[in-house]
Amino acid sequence: MVSILQRMRKLKTVKGKSPSSLHRSPPEAPPAHLLQLLAIRVGPGAALLPKDVQRIHLEFASKINGGNMGPRKFWRHHLPRLKYHNPAVPMTVSRTTDQSGPATLTIHFGSAAEPSPEVDSTTPADSTVTSSGAADRVVTIDMKNKRDSEILHELLKATKAVELGPTEEDQEALRELKEQRERSARDSEMSRGVNAKRKREAEALAQARRGLGLATA
Amino acid sequence: MASTKSFVARTSRLSISPLARRRSQISPFVCLPCQQLRHASDNAAKYKRKDTPKTQKKKKTRSTFKEPDLSNAEQFSLCDAMRYIRAFEVGRPPTSAKYEMHIKLRTLKNGPVVRNRLRLPHPVKTDLRICVICPPDSAAADAARKAGASLVGEDNVFEAVKEGKVEFDRCICHVDSLQKLNKAGLGRILGPKGLMPSAKMGTVVKDVATTVRDMVGGAEYRERMGVVRMAIGQLGFSPEEMQRNIKAFVGEVRKDIAQLSDRIAKDVHEVVLSSTNAPGFSLNGDFKGPDSVPTKDLSTL
């Protein structure tokens, strides 16, 4: 097994950087290097869906050409955050082989009280998919040729979700991260100076030796 | 300049000449060892440089696997870990992604390894093809077929395997058929695949039917590099189901450790839950944390 420090560091460094989600994010959003778990808790997509949202379903092509890049990025970068904050809402993704097919996000709305009696935690359910409850209202968002942040914006608008800011602990972690980054920038600047100086001296020495060798020969 | 040079030369000559004269008078014994000494010290320095890394390397070999200090680790309750894993696995096909369990042991590098099968309370995968080697018209064969074996027989199985058709994932042999199996010489084909039945593996049995039944929902595990790994659940499992599976698995590993030998000290060091697409979460043994979400929320896709 990998050593514990490496494993913890991996948990604490961001796995796949998501530049698209972080460049076009509001100014209060966290910086590019997030802790891997912090990145799940904090960032664009960290929002609490209202209780009447029953299910979210994404459908798009498996490759990115034909305007399917935005949907994929939305799924990879924003959907985990949405899922973390709304664990009870089933979120499914089906990817088709037809590149020119539609790319849609479907939100199923239902009555708020409906889903709770349906799921019984005491009985071990064998089936993995139980989301066949009749939805009162279905909203479909076209994702084709849209950026991931636009898709998220439309989803939040359609569901009237409440965006969640970082908690105090998360803010603390973010501040620490920022300090770390500043320190590392400072250190790398310093060591770059030291290295350059060393290299210059070595070069001067080598030059002098060469000159001496030529003179003696 | 010239005057100083000549002066230096003169003084040096003046100073050297009596010394040289004296040395010539001294017997060569004094001189020789002095030179040899210098050579010896040079050689010693050379050997020293070569020697030092060797001794360091020797120190490095250790007989046990490393046991990292778990106080450095961030540990999670089962529900919290599952919440994160569900978030990492969002939108993945539920058939391909699975929960995995890694049990790190405190153990020797060269000792015996933990290796066994078990049947989880909630099986992870159920499409296992099992071959049973026993006389095709015996009672055991009927029972095996009923229990879910896909291939039953003796000679017909041997011939199929010899032709290269190995259409099963597990192989069990009845005790009475063991001699025939050994005579058939299938070890060359089945051995490398890990399918050759042997009493050591627990695949040569009298009661074929129960073994098949265990295998259908069962899974094998084995300690590699001090860690036992196994698929422990489907992604749709609720935390309660996962808890039952994890308890069964850890309990079984503990039982195996106890059975090994009195002299061999093994112990469970760390339990890690991960999944196909999520990082590993070290578990702290609790089911729920203080601010975990309700358990019924965690079983939705």
Side-chain angles (χ1 to χ4, degrees):
Chain A
M1 201 176 262
V2 187
S3 92
I4 204 113
L5 287 175
Q6 270 184 41
R7 267 159 51 206
M8 291 304 133
R9 202 176 308 129
K10 193 160 185 198
L11 273 187
K12 287 184 175 184
T13 46
V14 70
K15 201 177 174 189
K17 260 190 274 173
S18 54
S20 63
S21 62
L22 297 157
H23 280 316
R24 280 178 295 280
S25 49
E28 71 269 17
H33 295 277
L34 282 170
L35 312 177
Q36 200 177 346
L37 295 188
L38 195 64
I40 285 275
R41 291 197 299 266
V42 185
L48 206 60
L49 294 171
K51 285 224 162 72
D52 60 343
V53 176
Q54 261 190 349
R55 181 180 168 212
I56 293 176
H57 180 73
L58 274 71
E59 187 158 355
F60 54 92
S62 54
K63 291 179 185 168
I64 59 168
N65 55 333
N68 286 300
M69 187 178 76
R72 186 200 276 190
K73 291 210 164 196
F74 174 75
W75 164 46
R76 287 294 180 89
H77 301 316
H78 300 305
L79 210 59
R81 261 169 246 153
L82 209 60
K83 177 70 181 171
Y84 178 79
H85 289 285
N86 308 281
V89 180
M91 297 176 191
T92 48
V93 173
S94 83
R95 297 166 79 195
T96 55
T97 48
D98 180 19
Q99 284 308 122
S100 56
T104 55
L105 189 154
T106 330
I107 312 161
H108 299 257
F109 290 95
S111 54
E114 204 260 324
S116 47
E118 169 198 10
V119 184
D120 194 0
S121 65
T122 52
T123 54
D126 244 1
S127 60
T128 49
V129 182
T130 50
S131 53
S132 54
D136 297 351
R137 187 159 64 90
V138 176
V139 173
T140 307
I141 298 171
D142 180 29
M143 297 194 290
K144 200 135 210 180
N145 291 317
K146 273 183 192 156
R147 288 190 185 278
D148 46 351
S149 51
E150 289 167 0
I151 297 166
L152 177 70
H153 183 69
E154 280 191 30
L155 171 70
L156 295 183
K157 210 168 71 182
T159 54
K160 297 190 186 71
V162 188
E163 282 204 66
L164 298 170
T167 61
E168 276 186 22
E169 290 162 26
D170 292 343
Q171 272 171 348
E172 182 67 28
L174 287 174
R175 203 163 40 243
E176 259 175 39
L177 262 184
K178 202 179 163 202
E179 267 171 32
Q180 228 174 58
R181 217 166 36 253
E182 279 165 5
R183 199 163 54 234
S184 99
R186 225 167 33 233
D187 289 354
S188 77
E189 188 63 37
M190 205 164 73
S191 57
R192 196 181 300 132
V194 169
N195 283 340
K197 193 182 166 197
R198 190 182 298 149
K199 203 176 168 188
R200 228 170 22 241
E201 277 171 7
E203 236 164 48
L205 206 64
Q207 188 116 37
R209 274 214 190 102
R210 231 176 291 136
L212 212 69
L214 281 175
T216 50
Chain B
M1 280 294 272
S3 65
T4 51
K5 250 186 190 172
S6 61
F7 176 70
V8 169
R10 215 179 301 145
T11 48
S12 65
R13 215 183 300 143
L14 273 172
S15 59
I16 285 170
S17 54
L19 234 170
R21 219 176 293 145
R22 217 189 299 155
R23 196 182 273 173
S24 62
Q25 285 166 357
I26 301 165
S27 63
F29 288 111
V30 188
C31 248
L32 252 167
C34 169
Q35 267 183 335
Q36 269 183 345
L37 238 174
R38 202 176 40 167
H39 277 285
S41 68
D42 277 359
N43 284 344
K46 263 185 215 165
Y47 286 126
K48 223 179 195 178
R49 240 174 278 145
K50 273 180 197 166
D51 270 4
T52 37
K54 234 182 213 173
T55 48
Q56 275 174 356
K57 249 184 202 170
K58 256 185 192 171
K59 258 185 198 172
K60 264 187 184 172
T61 53
R62 42 184 303 149
S63 60
T64 56
F65 289 106
K66 274 187 187 171
E67 290 153 17
D69 185 8
L70 285 184
S71 60
N72 289 332
E74 201 178 338
Q75 294 196 308
F76 299 83
S77 70
L78 178 63
C79 282
D80 290 348
M82 279 180 78
R83 187 179 176 191
Y84 276 119
I85 288 176
R86 296 318 307 266
F88 275 104
E89 293 279 0
V90 68
R92 303 280 182 180
T95 46
S96 71
K98 288 181 182 66
Y99 286 111
E100 294 159 13
M101 176 123 287
H102 318 252
I103 300 181
K104 166 122 181 115
L105 305 172
R106 287 191 202 95
T107 174
L108 283 174
K109 275 183 177 176
N110 56 357
V113 294
V114 171
R115 156 173 213 186
N116 208 342
R117 277 196 303 273
L118 93 157
R119 188 185 167 78
L120 289 170
H122 306 279
V124 179
K125 82 173 193 184
T126 48
D127 53 343
L128 202 66
R129 295 167 304 171
I130 295 169
C131 165
V132 176
I133 295 167
C134 65
D137 45 357
S138 63
D142 282 347
R145 271 196 206 98
K146 264 180 204 162
S150 56
L151 195 60
V152 181
E154 268 179 347
D155 295 331
N156 56 341
V157 175
F158 298 157
E159 271 163 34
V161 170
K162 272 179 191 164
E163 281 167 27
K165 283 194 285 181
V166 184
E167 291 171 339
F168 46 85
D169 308 314
R170 297 282 183 278
C171 190
I172 303 171
C173 183
H174 195 268
V175 176
D176 301 340
S177 307
L178 185 63
Q179 275 199 330
K180 259 192 175 180
L181 174 76
N182 288 339
K183 262 184 202 161
L186 300 180
R188 277 206 175 175
I189 306 162
L190 293 181
K193 292 180 177 159
L195 293 171
M196 189 69 188
S198 78
K200 210 163 137 197
M201 297 268 296
T203 44
V204 175
V205 284
K206 262 199 176 131
D207 192 358
V208 176
T210 47
T211 318
V212 170
R213 218 169 293 129
D214 280 350
M215 265 190 178
V216 167
E220 280 192 14
Y221 60 84
R222 163 187 196 144
E223 174 193 339
R224 284 172 212 272
M225 302 293 282
V227 187
V228 186
R229 298 184 176 84
M230 200 173 79
I232 195 89
Q234 294 163 9
L235 267 191
F237 280 1
S238 70
E240 284 86 1
E241 287 171 306
M242 285 297 291
Q243 190 190 22
R244 262 172 256 149
N245 269 2
I246 290 170
K247 268 187 183 166
F249 181 38
V250 176
E252 200 74 8
V253 169
R254 286 228 166 96
K255 220 189 277 170
D256 286 339
I257 290 170
Q259 271 176 358
L260 273 177
S261 166
D262 290 342
R263 271 186 298 166
I264 289 142
K266 278 199 195 212
D267 199 6
V268 174
H269 180 246
E270 193 191 1
V271 178
V272 176
L273 181 71
S274 78
S275 78
T276 311
N277 300 301
F281 292 87
S282 189
L283 298 182
N284 60 8
D286 293 339
F287 179 60
K288 259 179 136 180
D291 39 40
S292 297
V293 289
T295 56
K296 68 180 176 201
D297 292 355
L298 285 171
S299 49
T300 54
L301 282 179

